[in-house]
Amino acid sequence: MKSLLTFPKGGTHPPEFKAQTQECGIEVMPVPDELELILGQHIGAPCEPTVSKREEVVEAGTIGEVKRGLGVPLHAPVAGKIKSIGVSAHPMRVSSPSVTIAVDHEAEAKKYEKQDWQSFDASELLAKVHDAGIIGVGGAGFPTHVKLKPPPNSPVDSLLLNGAECEPYITSDHRQMLEHGYEIVEGAKIILKILGINECHIGIENNKPDAIKKMTELAEQQSDGNCTLNVQALQVKYPQGSEKQLIQAITGRKVPAMALPAAVGVVVHNVSTAKAIYDAVVYSKPLYEKVVTIAGKGIARPANLQVKVGTKIKDIVEYLGGTQAGLAKIIMGGPMMGFAVSSLDIPVTKTTSAILFLSEDEIDTKPHSQCIRCGWCLEACPMGLEPKEIGIYVEANMAEDTEPFGVFDCFECGSCAYVCPAKRPLVQFIRLAKMKAKRPQ
Amino acid sequence: MSKQQESDGQATAMGGLWKVSISPHLKSSESVEKIMWTVVACLVPPLILSVFVFGIQTLFITAVSVVSCVVVEAISQKTLGRKVTIKDGSAVLTGLLLAFVIPPGVSPLLPILAAVFAIYIGKHLLGGIGYNFFNPALLGRAFLLASFPVAMTSAWLSPVEGFGIFSYLGTSIDAVSTATPLAVMKEQGMVAFTNMFGSGASLYTSFFMGWRPGCIGETSGFLLLLGGLYLLYRGYITWHIPVSILGTIAFLSWVVGGETYFTGDPLLAILSGGALLGSFYMATDYVTSPSNKTGQLVFGICIGALTVLIRIKGGYPEGICYAILLMNPLSTVFDTWFKPKRFAPPVGGAK
Ligand code: SF4
Ligand code: SF4
């Protein structure tokens, strides 16, 4: 067997906690009575509603569009009536405009026709990806069609599919690969056609041997004269699934600071995004369903749920039999980079990959102390930054001067804060520093 | 980001239900306490051995030293209005290390004074743990050596006979004081040295196992090394500092440590004069050593070279103590010189 690929510098090994859900097949959750769709699902301009109060909507009908700027449309996940257009709680921002739909449980689920995608040309495919409202579902939510149109001055030669899933607890991509591997590989071929290239690598962390096996078989079967797909087994090391680290692990190329992967000839998409692209192109089905891992000791029944975008946390909790005593923290996303939320009214968005219900003993609540200069954070940082210095500067009210330590290269992976024996909230310090430090010219 | 999230990780949201804090929500199980207490544990076997070598007096001096360090730490933090953190084990460790580097025959007053100087002035007046730029234990020792030169250089005990660990009690210290090996070698020459301590394999064995005069921390090279290896295994220290120090000492002692060039005894050089204790337990102190690995190598080489220089030219056989103290304040400078390698600069070169 080939030796496992990884990124060379930094990284850490948090416990994986994946056993709780990795055997849980994807389960379709019944649609709740009400869905709340946040209009700003992606990076870029938020959608403006194209419907009004009390209007009837059909499943997959457009309810929001971006009039100016970067963005993709938003679709109704179900048939129903617009209950209100207002403001709702948002997992990352404090609040965001949203559309609430009262679900019509009588309406029949929409049927989709399968089409042969080979008959479309690249620009038709790209338009379908845009129209289906697809954004990078694994991470920040960058509109996918933009990534599929790299600037002409940086030609792209390979596509990477990210199946690393390096965050503890989360198994949704793992399940997608096991259960929808075919769609993912076809999705990859669609992306290759759009980009006009023929090389695709699928990176999967070695703690998912079944997914590696399955995807390798599929990749071999479906490679043809036009494209070569292959699976790369990756070492289990956090943050293997971070874009820059994944690119370095698989291709050896380093994406320069403040540049996009296209600068080194690579485009990266999450495996679940590839699945969404497949649905968008082959079935003309917009992105309005998400597979979300629900885990942690604080939930009665952990699961991998396929939910409609807009499903609120409280409906999921109710469906899974409630929370458990001792629940201390609810996180949207993984425990390393996710956001702690304070309300069960927050809805699932297109980028939600997990909701974790952690009990007191699963989280760290120890107060932090002064930096003992052990240097562990320096060793853990995959970007070669100096989190310890940033922390010390921020505490001394000198956040303005932290640029030389690399604050703007930090992608907040949390490796530094994870290893710090003094339990210093280094990511928090870095966020403050980012607000105050002077950007390099 | 809301104000609430910005404030410390303790904030609880909406009726105190769930905790809201900035990621990451997982932290490793390592902590400052765990590290400090592990190092303390590694020093216990050599301490126990020293009781058999020098008698119960050593245990007494160690206890005085540890208790006074902890008390001074608590009082300093109280008076300076800081949180009392004696549970983190760092004061205990300082006390232990201090006892390891002073002669076991000194008056108990000395470690008490050293504790006040090292912990109050050397640590807390400078800002507390993390801001002290001298190793507190070594600072305490240097202070004692400057203030009580006679006691500090003569109150060595030679190993007791058999298991008579109480035999020094009641005798006057002067009567039993003896010279440390490196001092003998320096002042009386190699012949006197071999007469006193033997030569060849038996010499190394007595040094390695601990049956010879010296301070507590010098007695057993074997147990110190074992503890050091355990710290390496746990990842609490890395090889960079100990290896660069010991390597440099061995090499330079071989080159210039003998009667003529290239006749020095490298093995003896690292088994004596507290070199093992210094390189594994003192120079590796996080606060007073560089954080970057390259910086640590340079730091270690400098300490090794200074140690040999002080041993040969300066007349202080236990030169490593001064070498470390001299290098301590340079750690932060080294950290600004040797920085981690950044992932990739922006296109178009450095900013
Ligand atoms: S959060 Fe930032 S500083 Fe910390 S390890 Fe990750 S990239 Fe480095
Ligand atoms: S890991 Fe924590 S204690 Fe160690 S140097 Fe970094 S910030 Fe300081």
Side-chain angles (χ1 to χ4, degrees):
Chain A
M1 198 178 152
K2 265 193 300 182
S3 71
L4 297 175
L5 299 175
T6 189
F7 56 98
K9 177 164 187 338
T12 177
H13 296 92
E16 295 169 28
F17 297 122
K18 292 190 192 260
Q20 207 184 16
T21 54
Q22 67 191 8
E23 304 296 329
C24 302
I26 298 171
E27 173 183 342
V28 179
M29 178 182 150
V31 186
D33 294 339
E34 197 180 286
L35 296 178
E36 189 166 316
L37 288 112
I38 286 172
L39 286 160
Q41 301 254 346
H42 50 256
I43 286 185
C47 286
E48 283 168 40
T50 53
V51 286
S52 46
K53 201 170 164 182
R54 281 188 289 278
E55 196 177 319
E56 300 273 344
V57 289
V58 294
E59 179 172 345
T62 307
I63 56 172
E65 252 167 15
V66 173
K67 299 267 161 58
R68 244 170 289 125
L70 190 77
V72 292
L74 185 65
H75 305 83
V78 282
K81 199 184 223 169
I82 303 298
K83 189 177 164 197
S84 63
I85 295 174
V87 170
S88 78
H90 185 281
M92 299 174 214
R93 285 154 235 156
V94 176
S95 62
S96 165
S98 68
V99 172
T100 304
I101 301 175
V103 174
D104 174 5
H105 288 291
E106 306 299 307
E108 257 184 56
K110 186 174 157 97
K111 300 233 168 18
Y112 288 100
E113 297 272 313
K114 192 168 175 180
Q115 295 150 295
D116 175 24
W117 65 266
Q118 305 277 8
S119 60
F120 300 114
D121 69 15
S123 62
E124 283 167 336
L125 292 171
L126 191 63
K128 278 181 166 293
V129 169
H130 168 267
D131 295 346
I134 297 180
I135 60 176
V137 295
F142 197 79
T144 297
H145 68 282
V146 180
K147 271 173 130 184
L148 292 177
K149 233 180 350 193
N153 57 355
S154 35
V156 163
D157 58 35
S158 32
L159 164 70
L160 302 191
L161 279 201
N162 188 351
E165 203 164 55
C166 59
E167 277 260 16
Y169 291 95
I170 310 182
T171 58
S172 51
D173 285 349
H174 185 180
R175 294 311 307 182
Q176 289 269 31
M177 288 188 280
L178 289 180
E179 298 176 36
H180 300 293
Y182 173 79
E183 290 92 322
I184 293 171
V185 172
E186 283 290 293
K189 287 167 78 173
I190 295 170
I191 301 173
L192 290 176
K193 182 164 181 181
I194 296 176
L195 290 168
I197 59 174
N198 50 30
E199 196 183 319
C200 169
H201 303 278
I202 305 169
I204 305 172
E205 269 194 355
N206 205 34
N207 55 3
K208 297 177 264 295
D210 48 353
I212 293 177
K213 185 160 165 282
K214 163 118 205 225
M215 296 304 285
T216 307
E217 282 166 18
L218 284 166
E220 273 163 18
Q221 276 165 25
Q222 301 200 45
S223 291
D224 51 34
N226 296 327
C227 60
T228 46
L229 299 132
N230 61 69
V231 171
Q232 308 277 6
L234 306 169
Q235 239 178 60
V236 180
K237 179 162 94 173
Y238 183 85
Q240 196 70 262
S242 137
E243 209 165 65
K244 289 186 175 183
Q245 274 59 39
L246 187 78
I247 293 171
Q248 193 185 15
I250 294 179
T251 68
R253 301 176 198 171
K254 282 179 162 189
V255 182
M258 291 175 282
L260 292 173
V264 294
V266 180
V267 164
V268 184
H269 287 285
N270 190 278
V271 286
S272 295
T273 310
K275 156 86 166 55
I277 289 173
Y278 174 86
D279 289 343
V281 169
V282 175
Y283 294 104
S284 299
K285 181 182 178 182
L287 173 59
Y288 56 70
E289 279 161 358
K290 250 329 283 240
V291 176
V292 181
T293 297
I294 314 293
K297 288 188 192 164
I299 187 82
R301 181 165 73 86
N304 275 304
L305 289 187
Q306 179 182 312
V307 300
K308 302 279 182 189
V309 169
T311 305
K312 289 180 186 173
I313 301 178
K314 66 176 179 213
D315 294 320
I316 294 175
V317 168
E318 196 180 318
Y319 175 66
L320 292 176
T323 57
Q324 301 283 84
L327 170 64
K329 205 176 207 182
I330 301 175
I331 298 160
M332 287 279 244
M336 297 297 281
M337 290 180 78
F339 288 78
V341 297
S342 56
S343 156
L344 289 180
D345 285 325
I346 290 176
V348 166
T349 70
K350 293 177 184 177
T351 54
T352 308
S353 50
I355 304 173
L356 306 178
F357 296 80
L358 303 185
S359 62
E360 198 69 48
D361 59 320
E362 287 175 284
I363 53 172
D364 187 279
T365 47
K366 284 206 205 74
H368 74 265
S369 50
Q370 294 192 147
C371 169
I372 56 164
R373 295 175 30 91
C374 63
W376 292 6
C377 52
L378 273 60
E379 290 296 296
C381 178
M383 301 304 288
L385 314 180
E386 294 173 84
K388 95 176 156 66
E389 296 294 335
I390 300 170
I392 291 171
Y393 272 58
V394 169
E395 276 188 326
N397 279 324
M398 286 159 68
E400 299 78 34
D401 305 324
T402 51
E403 195 277 323
F405 305 116
V407 263
F408 294 112
D409 283 2
C410 169
F411 64 102
E412 301 180 10
C413 70
S415 301
C416 51
Y418 174 78
V419 299
C420 177
K423 312 287 159 202
R424 291 171 66 73
L426 294 168
V427 174
Q428 186 174 331
F429 288 142
I430 290 169
R431 287 214 190 139
L432 288 171
K434 279 183 181 169
M435 287 183 225
K436 292 197 177 145
K438 295 175 211 64
R439 284 235 168 225
Q441 293 311 311
Chain B
M1 188 168 35
S2 71
K3 260 264 135 14
Q4 188 172 37
Q5 286 175 325
E6 259 174 54
S7 67
D8 199 38
Q10 308 304 311
T12 347
M14 288 194 157
L17 265 179
W18 301 300
K19 296 199 168 60
V20 175
S21 69
I22 303 259
S23 58
H25 308 285
L26 291 183
K27 300 274 171 81
S28 72
S29 59
E30 299 298 352
S31 65
V32 177
E33 292 99 88
K34 216 163 141 184
I35 299 169
M36 296 294 175
W37 286 109
T38 307
V39 182
V40 167
C42 287
L43 289 172
V44 170
L47 174 65
I48 294 172
L49 180 77
S50 76
V51 174
F52 288 103
V53 177
F54 301 124
I56 200 80
Q57 167 80 4
T58 58
L59 205 57
F60 175 65
I61 281 290
T62 308
V64 171
S65 172
V66 169
V67 169
S68 33
C69 281
V70 172
V71 169
V72 174
E73 172 122 320
I75 295 176
S76 313
Q77 287 176 327
K78 266 255 149 60
T79 50
L80 292 168
R82 300 204 184 112
K83 223 174 104 220
V84 177
T85 59
I86 49 173
K87 278 204 293 243
D88 75 7
S90 73
V92 175
L93 180 59
T94 301
L96 210 50
L97 286 172
L98 179 64
F100 273 43
V101 290
I102 56 179
V106 294
S107 137
L109 190 66
L110 267 60
I112 297 179
L113 287 173
V116 173
F117 188 79
I119 303 254
Y120 181 67
I121 299 179
K123 185 171 170 186
H124 289 292
L125 282 189
L126 292 176
I129 189 167
Y131 292 97
N132 50 309
F133 37 77
F134 289 111
N135 182 315
L138 289 176
L139 197 64
R141 178 186 186 271
F143 164 75
L144 290 184
L145 204 57
S147 323
F148 307 93
V150 179
M152 283 295 286
T153 48
S154 64
W156 308 105
L157 307 177
S158 52
V160 293
E161 298 292 327
F163 283 89
I165 58 172
F166 297 102
S167 57
Y168 285 130
L169 287 185
T171 43
S172 116
I173 293 301
D174 290 339
V176 293
S177 70
T178 174
T180 65
L182 282 185
V184 173
M185 191 169 14
K186 173 152 178 61
E187 282 149 25
Q188 302 165 33
M190 202 61 199
V191 183
F193 178 81
T194 30
N195 280 345
M196 208 178 270
F197 301 106
S199 64
S202 77
L203 169 75
Y204 295 138
T205 321
S206 74
F207 272 65
F208 199 51
M209 301 312 294
W211 228 254
R212 43 116 179 180
C215 48
I216 304 173
E218 288 179 64
T219 47
S220 175
F222 175 68
L223 291 177
L224 286 172
L225 192 62
L226 214 59
L229 292 178
Y230 180 69
L231 294 179
L232 278 172
Y233 161 75
R234 286 291 295 267
Y236 288 170
I237 61 174
T238 58
W239 59 270
H240 302 77
I241 292 180
V243 168
S244 57
I245 295 182
L246 295 175
T248 310
I249 294 183
F251 177 74
L252 290 180
S253 303
W254 172 63
V255 176
V256 296
E259 320 262 296
T260 58
Y261 284 127
F262 305 107
T263 59
D265 186 338
L267 198 54
L268 183 65
I270 59 174
L271 286 178
S272 57
L276 286 173
L277 182 75
S279 57
F280 278 98
Y281 297 88
M282 301 185 130
T284 51
D285 170 35
Y286 294 141
V287 179
T288 55
S289 65
S291 309
N292 184 275
K293 298 285 167 256
T294 320
Q296 290 179 356
L297 286 177
V298 179
F299 180 76
I301 292 171
C302 292
I303 291 178
L306 280 172
T307 305
V308 176
L309 190 73
I310 297 171
R311 278 185 185 176
I312 292 172
K313 297 276 173 227
Y316 290 101
E318 284 71 31
I320 194 165
C321 295
Y322 282 106
I324 295 173
L325 273 181
L326 281 171
M327 292 306 297
N328 279 163
L330 289 179
S331 306
T332 42
V333 181
F334 278 22
D335 275 344
T336 57
W337 288 349
F338 304 102
K339 288 188 167 279
K341 195 168 176 299
R342 292 275 276 274
F343 183 79
V347 232
K351 19 195 179 189

